[in-house]
Amino acid sequence: GNWWDNNKMNVTAVTMVVAPSLFVSTLFPDAFSAATDIAGGYCMTVLYGVLPPAMAWVMHKREPEDSGKNEFFNARSTLIVTELFACGIVLEQILQDILTLLS
């Protein structure tokens, strides 16, 4: 009745997301676990390592021109080092995953 009419779209969306994942994880539990580990590793590194320095860079770029140039230079140097370090971690994860797949 009324509950189904109000929630038909939500139930359909949840079913479309959960059913294929449940089906694949039931048939191939090891593959699904490995895929989740890989996706989680990259997403966490990008979310907490690569994006914050990039967001801070954009914020510093939008500051008014009358702000101190020396402060921006120091912040820019720190952001570049932090971003390179985070990208290095992502590259290391990629290499580890490739080596794991090849072995």
Side-chain angles (χ1 to χ4, degrees), residues 32-98:
F32 192 77
S33 177
T36 304
D37 290 342
I38 290 171
Y42 289 113
C43 293
M44 294 300 284
T45 305
V46 170
L47 184 62
Y48 295 113
V50 176
L51 287 180
M55 291 166 44
W57 182 272
V58 170
M59 287 176 58
H60 276 287
K61 286 288 194 181
R62 291 185 180 173
E63 283 185 358
E65 289 297 322
D66 61 350
S67 63
K69 293 291 182 188
N70 193 27
E71 291 176 13
F72 178 69
F73 178 74
N74 291 337
R76 182 171 55 181
S77 302
T78 304
L79 290 175
I80 288 171
V81 169
T82 305
E83 190 71 32
L84 288 174
F85 184 72
C87 289
I89 291 173
V90 172
L91 289 175
E92 180 199 10
Q93 285 182 331
I94 291 171
L95 289 175
Q96 284 180 355
D97 289 338
I98 289 172

